[in-house]
Amino acid sequence: MAPVNANSETSPLRGSSAAPQGGPAGISRLRVAVPSVATRVASELRLQIAEGVLPPGTKLKEEALSEELGVSRNTVREAFAELASERLVVRQPNRGVFVASLEVSDIHDVYAVRRAIEVSAVRGGGSPESVAAVRAAVEEGKRAAAAGDSEGLGTANQHFHGALVAMAGSERLNTIMSQVLAEMRLFFHRAAIDGGFYQDYLADNEQICTALEAGDAELAAERLLAYLARSEAHQTAVHTS
Amino acid sequence: MAPVNANSETSPLRGSSAAPQGGPAGISRLRVAVPSVATRVASELRLQIAEGVLPPGTKLKEEALSEELGVSRNTVREAFAELASERLVVRQPNRGVFVASLEVSDIHDVYAVRRAIEVSAVRGGGSPESVAAVRAAVEEGKRAAAAGDSEGLGTANQHFHGALVAMAGSERLNTIMSQVLAEMRLFFHRAAIDGGFYQDYLADNEQICTALEAGDAELAAERLLAYLARSEAHQTAVHTS
DNA sequence: GATTGTTGGATTGTTGAACATTTTGTTGTT
DNA sequence: AACAACAAAATGTTCAACAATCCAACAATC
């Protein structure tokens, strides 16, 4: 099912990798924290969930995954714990873990979080560099739109909102935001269908960004709130059909 | 070290517990999800961390804990994963897990989260019942103050701020807040020393609550922001001595 | 015929032991 | 004192087993 690696014998997910980092000549000075096998399994699953390979509601069986990925059942279990803490999968005791499927109520809930942290970050103003990052995300979106890259438009939009939160300079807010964005990818598949959808966003982002560059954080926050309200309404509409 | 259970033979942390839930007479209608052993281990550790039995920086050895609690090493490991996702412990690859110790920068970070979600929740206004819950927390604090219960004063304050966030009616915001509060307990031990510390809080909470009851969410948010600023300054001062 | 046991297989929860890898402390040498 | 080699301890991961739970199919009952 999951096109990870053909042979589970020498799967690159396995821990005991060969070459010690640094190559033949140079010695790696900085400590490169090699992610654990469990972490890599979690990343792999996270990717497949985000890409829709594993659609919401899919049951993830421990044994099947463990042989498919060439890792032990316990390791799969640890990966599940990581994903469960991010709400990407749901654990039903003695039943198994399932790819999270968001209800309509979850949409409102997620937007409540976004309203809280995005608006707060924007209201704070942020450093010139952080605002520049926001601008960069806006331009990224424009380029994608010009190229007709609907996919890239979506990721640019996520970069934009991530950059907004980054303005607060808070590590915790950043991780919360990235988790929320990951959750949103769960039901973006359906929403990404209609074409002119992102077009409006581009204009919104531009306006929010100019307000920030003008130093008017309050105006930017206002526009952001309006955007979020419309976005939530749109998502709700799409998912109540 | 950890006063959990004397004999690891019949430790109540073990999975195969005896009595099926519901007691002799009544039948439990709702599905009572019996927490797994790993979850219970995590709860136990969470408690000991919150109470200061395991002070910040303490190294948690897998094998020691596993025999101490009468569970397997793998189970301890799962509990660690849960606590790590809550930032209560920090995992250093190949080194072990340690009870998180917050730096001064973390204080600012935590307050950034609080500013975001508490203020957002308060600005939303909230239902009459949720405001009533806030009032209840205020009264709880008054009673604790009257009884000279410094401990109870602290928990009442946490209930107050939890109730503020609960006004938003968002499951996700609630869990974020409870995790933040758990983090704060990590460095509240030192701060709880000075006596008149909580006295000011009481007045603040009262004023925020009355503003909410009067329907003036904006005023409440303003007062809350002021409170958070002072609280952060206080905590920072205490932890830079 | 629909509801209520019963049974067996499949899956998860947990354990215990093993081994590889990394870290760390120690020892011995220069 | 600095340094390399080595031994001990702890973690990361695997594996195999068993208990507990769930589920679907089937049998039994009214």
Side-chain angles (χ1 to χ4, degrees), chain B residues 32-46:
Chain B
V32 181
V34 178
S36 73
V37 178
T39 304
R40 272 175 285 167
V41 170
S43 300
E44 177 63 31
L45 291 176
R46 204 180 289 116

Side-chain angles (χ1 to χ4, degrees), chain A residues 168-184:
Chain A
S170 160
E171 184 195 325
R172 283 166 180 75
L173 284 182
N174 285 339
T175 70
I176 291 173
M177 185 62 184
S178 58
Q179 287 186 8
V180 168
L181 287 179
E183 272 196 87
M184 295 206 66

Side-chain angles (χ1 to χ4, degrees), chain A residues 70-201:
Chain A
V71 302
S72 117
R73 232 184 96 207
N74 279 329
T75 303
V76 173
R77 209 149 226 286
E78 284 201 31
F80 283 170
E82 192 172 329
L83 296 175
S85 82
E86 302 169 8
R87 290 177 180 268
L88 288 184
V89 302
V90 173
R91 207 162 207 155
Q92 297 191 11
N94 288 314
R95 300 258 342 253
V97 313
F98 303 81
V99 178
S101 65
L102 301 190
E103 315 291 323
V104 177
S105 63
D106 287 307
I107 298 181
H108 179 66
D109 208 296
V110 164
Y111 275 92
V113 177
R114 292 189 58 177
R115 258 189 296 277
I117 70 179
E118 292 192 43
V119 171
S120 170
V122 166
R123 273 216 172 89
S127 68
E129 305 89 53
S130 62
V131 173
V134 173
R135 165 58 63 190
V138 170
E139 300 304 325
E140 177 190 350
K142 284 183 185 173
R143 280 196 305 275
D149 179 6
S150 160
E151 174 96 8
L153 205 49
T155 67
N157 193 44
Q158 299 215 336
H159 288 170
F160 174 76
H161 290 280
L164 287 185
V165 172
M167 286 173 54
S170 160
E171 184 195 325
R172 283 166 180 75
L173 284 182
N174 285 339
T175 70
I176 291 173
M177 185 62 184
S178 58
Q179 287 186 8
V180 168
L181 287 179
E183 272 196 87
M184 295 206 66
R185 279 189 278 270
L186 275 176
F187 54 65
F188 256 20
H189 300 131
R190 256 185 280 177
I193 302 294
D194 46 2
F197 181 60
Y198 284 112
Q199 289 296 343
D200 300 340
Y201 289 7

Side-chain angles (χ1 to χ4, degrees), chain B residues 16 60-62 73 77 94 96:
Chain B
S16 56
L60 302 178
K61 295 181 201 170
E62 300 183 347
R73 230 183 99 208
R77 206 150 229 282
N94 289 317

Side-chain angles (χ1 to χ4, degrees), chain A residues 16 31 59-62 73-74 77 94-96:
Chain A
S16 57
R31 179 79 71 87
K59 173 165 187 181
L60 303 178
K61 294 181 202 172
E62 300 183 347
R73 232 184 96 207
N74 279 329
R77 209 149 226 286
N94 288 314
R95 300 258 342 253

Side-chain angles (χ1 to χ4, degrees), chain B:
Chain B
M1 178 189 286
V4 193
N5 291 108
N7 55 345
S8 58
E9 242 9 53
T10 57
S11 169
L13 277 179
R14 269 223 150 96
S16 56
S17 66
Q21 62 277 23
I27 298 175
S28 71
R29 190 76 53 90
L30 279 316
R31 177 77 74 85
V32 181
V34 178
S36 73
V37 178
T39 304
R40 272 175 285 167
V41 170
S43 300
E44 177 63 31
L45 291 176
R46 204 180 289 116
L47 196 65
Q48 298 202 9
I49 291 174
E51 288 182 348
V53 181
L54 300 173
T58 305
K59 173 165 187 182
L60 302 178
K61 295 181 201 170
E62 300 183 347
E63 190 164 3
L65 275 178
S66 90
E67 19 184 289
E68 206 159 336
L69 299 177
V71 301
S72 121
R73 230 183 99 208
N74 278 327
T75 303
V76 173
R77 206 150 229 282
E78 284 201 32
F80 282 170
E82 192 173 328
L83 295 175
S85 81
E86 301 168 8
R87 289 179 182 269
L88 288 184
V89 303
V90 173
R91 208 165 205 150
Q92 297 191 11
N94 289 317
R95 300 258 341 258
V97 313
F98 303 81
V99 178
S101 65
L102 301 189
E103 315 291 323
V104 177
S105 63
D106 287 308
I107 297 181
H108 179 66
D109 208 299
V110 163
Y111 274 92
V113 178
R114 292 189 60 177
R115 258 190 295 278
I117 69 179
E118 292 192 43
V119 171
S120 171
V122 164
R123 272 215 173 90
S127 67
E129 305 88 54
S130 62
V131 174
V134 174
R135 165 57 64 188
V138 171
E139 301 304 324
E140 178 190 348
K142 285 184 185 171
R143 278 196 306 276
D149 180 5
S150 159
E151 173 96 8
L153 206 49
T155 68
N157 194 43
Q158 298 213 338
H159 288 170
F160 174 77
H161 290 279
L164 287 185
V165 172
M167 287 172 54
S170 160
E171 184 195 324
R172 283 167 180 75
L173 285 182
N174 285 339
T175 70
I176 292 173
M177 185 61 185
S178 57
Q179 286 185 8
V180 168
L181 288 178
E183 272 196 86
M184 295 206 65
R185 279 191 278 271
L186 276 175
F187 53 66
F188 257 20
H189 301 131
R190 256 183 280 176
I193 302 294
D194 46 3
F197 182 59
Y198 283 112
Q199 288 299 342
D200 301 340
Y201 288 7
L202 267 186
D204 286 326
N205 294 357
E206 173 68 39
Q207 284 207 314
I208 293 171
C209 188
T210 53
L212 282 175
E213 289 167 334
D216 194 343
E218 206 50 47
L219 176 60
E222 220 168 282
R223 287 174 173 170
L224 175 59
L225 269 174
Y227 160 84
L228 286 173
R230 256 185 306 137
S231 178
E232 176 178 350
H234 179 97
Q235 291 286 348
T236 308
V238 169
H239 289 265
T240 46
S241 62

